[in-house]
PDB file of all heavy atoms in Angstrom:
ATOM      1  N   PHE A  48      19.799  -3.274  14.430  1.00 82.00           N
ATOM      2  CA  PHE A  48      19.136  -2.469  15.537  1.00 82.00           C
ATOM      3  C   PHE A  48      18.187  -1.670  14.853  1.00 82.00           C
ATOM      4  O   PHE A  48      18.414  -0.811  13.985  1.00 82.00           O
ATOM      5  CB  PHE A  48      20.236  -1.743  16.239  1.00 82.00           C
ATOM      6  CG  PHE A  48      19.671  -0.851  17.289  1.00 82.00           C
ATOM      7  CD1 PHE A  48      19.053  -1.452  18.421  1.00 82.00           C
ATOM      8  CD2 PHE A  48      19.698   0.504  17.250  1.00 82.00           C
ATOM      9  CE1 PHE A  48      18.571  -0.686  19.523  1.00 82.00           C
ATOM     10  CE2 PHE A  48      19.100   1.209  18.299  1.00 82.00           C
ATOM     11  CZ  PHE A  48      18.599   0.598  19.426  1.00 82.00           C
ATOM     12  N   PRO A  80      24.093 -12.290  17.632  1.00 73.00           N
ATOM     13  CA  PRO A  80      24.410 -11.125  18.507  1.00 73.00           C
ATOM     14  C   PRO A  80      25.304 -10.185  17.604  1.00 73.00           C
ATOM     15  O   PRO A  80      26.271 -10.650  16.963  1.00 73.00           O
ATOM     16  CB  PRO A  80      25.174 -11.546  19.718  1.00 73.00           C
ATOM     17  CG  PRO A  80      24.829 -12.978  19.918  1.00 73.00           C
ATOM     18  CD  PRO A  80      24.556 -13.627  18.479  1.00 73.00           C
ATOM     19  N   ALA A  81      25.061  -8.843  17.773  1.00 71.00           N
ATOM     20  CA  ALA A  81      25.759  -7.859  16.982  1.00 71.00           C
ATOM     21  C   ALA A  81      26.608  -7.012  18.106  1.00 71.00           C
ATOM     22  O   ALA A  81      26.164  -6.924  19.176  1.00 71.00           O
ATOM     23  CB  ALA A  81      24.863  -7.002  16.243  1.00 71.00           C
ATOM     24  N   SER A  82      27.530  -6.419  17.601  1.00 72.00           N
ATOM     25  CA  SER A  82      28.364  -5.596  18.448  1.00 72.00           C
ATOM     26  C   SER A  82      27.538  -4.434  18.847  1.00 72.00           C
ATOM     27  O   SER A  82      26.688  -3.938  17.893  1.00 72.00           O
ATOM     28  CB  SER A  82      29.828  -5.158  17.869  1.00 72.00           C
ATOM     29  OG  SER A  82      29.627  -4.510  16.670  1.00 72.00           O
ATOM     30  N   GLY A  83      27.629  -3.845  19.984  1.00 71.00           N
ATOM     31  CA  GLY A  83      26.774  -2.675  20.314  1.00 71.00           C
ATOM     32  C   GLY A  83      25.434  -3.215  20.799  1.00 71.00           C
ATOM     33  O   GLY A  83      25.209  -4.123  21.713  1.00 71.00           O
ATOM     34  N   ARG A  84      24.376  -2.802  20.182  1.00 68.00           N
ATOM     35  CA  ARG A  84      22.939  -3.147  20.516  1.00 68.00           C
ATOM     36  C   ARG A  84      22.387  -4.284  19.530  1.00 68.00           C
ATOM     37  O   ARG A  84      22.652  -4.341  18.317  1.00 68.00           O
ATOM     38  CB  ARG A  84      22.104  -1.939  20.246  1.00 68.00           C
ATOM     39  CG  ARG A  84      22.531  -0.908  21.161  1.00 68.00           C
ATOM     40  CD  ARG A  84      21.528   0.257  20.850  1.00 68.00           C
ATOM     41  NE  ARG A  84      21.585   1.236  21.990  1.00 68.00           N
ATOM     42  CZ  ARG A  84      20.737   2.339  21.994  1.00 68.00           C
ATOM     43  NH1 ARG A  84      19.860   2.626  21.066  1.00 68.00           N
ATOM     44  NH2 ARG A  84      20.759   3.170  23.165  1.00 68.00           N
ATOM     45  N   GLY A  85      21.622  -5.000  20.057  1.00 72.00           N
ATOM     46  CA  GLY A  85      20.703  -5.942  19.438  1.00 72.00           C
ATOM     47  C   GLY A  85      21.371  -7.100  18.705  1.00 72.00           C
ATOM     48  O   GLY A  85      22.404  -7.703  19.290  1.00 72.00           O
ATOM     49  N   SER A  86      20.842  -7.431  17.516  1.00 76.00           N
ATOM     50  CA  SER A  86      21.361  -8.606  16.814  1.00 76.00           C
ATOM     51  C   SER A  86      21.331  -8.312  15.333  1.00 76.00           C
ATOM     52  O   SER A  86      20.990  -7.246  14.868  1.00 76.00           O
ATOM     53  CB  SER A  86      20.444  -9.895  17.117  1.00 76.00           C
ATOM     54  OG  SER A  86      19.099  -9.433  16.697  1.00 76.00           O
TER      55      SER A  86
END
Side-chain angles (χ1 to χ4, degrees):
F48 181 67
S82 60
R84 296 178 160 184
S86 57

